[in-house]
């Protein structure tokens, strides 16, 4: 009987090795070193002596079809069709011909693309869906990020910083972005509890599921005007919007109460110091589209305070750890408020539990 091949039904991503540039496939796992040649351009050198050049350009993340076609044309012309996107949405063109580097740069620059983001610079901002796509967004994503990167564009192209600086945005505290582990994080927050549509809740939502969706047990069944519904215990609510995800009769978005908080000091890297979570710097800034001046101003304040005072290779969190939080607030001019006190009941397991803090010379 003829052997029948199993039908492949999995529609997951194809094996990435099929798409490697030939020089990368040939030298896979055999790379000796890499170095930055100029802002946005680096070379990797293999044990065999083979080289591959990378030219990195900023992408706006939400890409027009025309932009993607342009990237593809450049890649076809100079890179045998190869390009890649970094985890922070930069586009990288890869070529083993050194002579192609200035040609690729010219094509990109002629179309207004910024080249940079490699090494000790601020790279593009990773962000979430925002008002464009997600139901629980407390702020926009693309708009805030565009306004912030416009302010910081020179840090992408020319200005070197003491170390890498990763900036992230998540438009609510479900945190689809990397805000918990980035040097500077912009986080959309709601500050009011859900409004309950008692007339419709029982028709479109399962009350037990709705109660179970609340991580702080703030939702309880309640009969209102003879109709089964729920109540929200305000002091238990942390405005997370989980309930709205399972029940559209619990809307949370509010033009006045929604806004943005800023967090600092997170990182994933193990280099020089351990990975750490971001901590609160600014509890609330209003949503002020289209350019969010309060948010971009606060981010720039942190960048300038860090870049002007940190030692070489000191990430934002390492710098704050060395100088102490009181000095961070003094240098940035941010106000210390009750929101900065972490009262999460399990925080004792992870926080320093002594009364000792860094010595701070207030006249320094
Ligand atoms: S962070 Fe929140 S609002 Fe933004 S995409 Fe994720 S779930 Fe939606
Ligand atoms: S917003 Fe979050 S904490 Fe508040 S009631 Fe809804 S699920 Fe619970």
């Amino acid at each position: 009987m003829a052997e029948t091949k199993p039908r492949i039904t999995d529609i997951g991503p194809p094996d990435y090795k099929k798409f490697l540039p030939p020089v990368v496939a040939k030298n896979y796992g055999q790379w000796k070193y890499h170095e930055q040649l100029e802002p946005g351009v680096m070379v990797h050198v293999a044990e065999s002596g083979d080289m591959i050049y990378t030219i990195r350009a900023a992408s706006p993340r939400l890409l027009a079809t025309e932009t993607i076609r342009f990237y593809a044309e450049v890649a076809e012309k100079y890179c045998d069709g190869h390009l890649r996107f970094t985890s922070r949405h930069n586009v990288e063109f890869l070529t083993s011909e050194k002579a192609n580097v200035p040609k690729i740069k010219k094509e990109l620059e002629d179309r207004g693309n910024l080249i940079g983001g490699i090494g000790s610079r601020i790279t593009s901002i990773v962000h979430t869906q925002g008002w464009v796509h997600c139901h629980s967004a407390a702020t926009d994503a693309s708009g805030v990020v565009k306004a912030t990167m416009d302010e910081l564009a020179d840090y992408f192209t020319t200005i070197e910083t003491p170390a890498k600086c990763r900036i992230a945005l998540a438009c609510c505290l479900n945190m689809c972005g990397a805000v918990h582990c980035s040097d500077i994080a912009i986080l959309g927050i709601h500050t009011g509890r859900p409004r309950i549509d008692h007339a419709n809740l029982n028709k479109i939502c399962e009350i037990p599921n709705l109660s179970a969706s609340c991580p702080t047990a703030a939702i309880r069944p309640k009969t209102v005007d003879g109709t089964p519904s729920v109540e929200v215990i305000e002091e238990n609510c942390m405005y997370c919007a989980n309930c709205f995800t399972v029940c559209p009769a619990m809307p949370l978005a509010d033009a006045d109460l929604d806004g943005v908080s800023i967090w600092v000091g997170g990182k994933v890297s193990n280099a020089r110091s351990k990975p750490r979570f971001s901590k609160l710097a600014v509890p609330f800034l209003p949503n002020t589209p289209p350019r969010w001046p309060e948010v971009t101003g606060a981010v720039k304040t942190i960048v300038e305070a860090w870049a002007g005072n940190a030692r070489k290779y000191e990430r934002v969190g390492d710098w704050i750890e060395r100088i102490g939080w009181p000095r961070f607030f003094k240098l940035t001019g941010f106000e210390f408020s009750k929101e900065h006190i972490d009262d999460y009941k399990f925080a004792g397991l992870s926080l320093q539990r002594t009364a000792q803090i860094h010595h701070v010379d207030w006249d320094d």
Side-chain angles (χ1 to χ4, degrees), residues 128-130 134-138 170-177:
T128 51
Q129 317 292 339
C134 192
H135 62 280
S136 54
C171 36
C172 86
L173 50 71
N174 283 315
M175 295 209 307
C176 303

Side-chain angles (χ1 to χ4, degrees), residues 313-332:
Y313 303 124
E314 220 169 31
R315 299 281 293 259
V316 172
D318 299 331
W319 167 65
I320 298 172
E321 187 80 2
R322 176 171 63 78
I323 66 170
W325 283 92
R327 184 136 176 78
F328 168 79
F329 282 101
K330 191 176 178 197
L331 283 173
T332 54

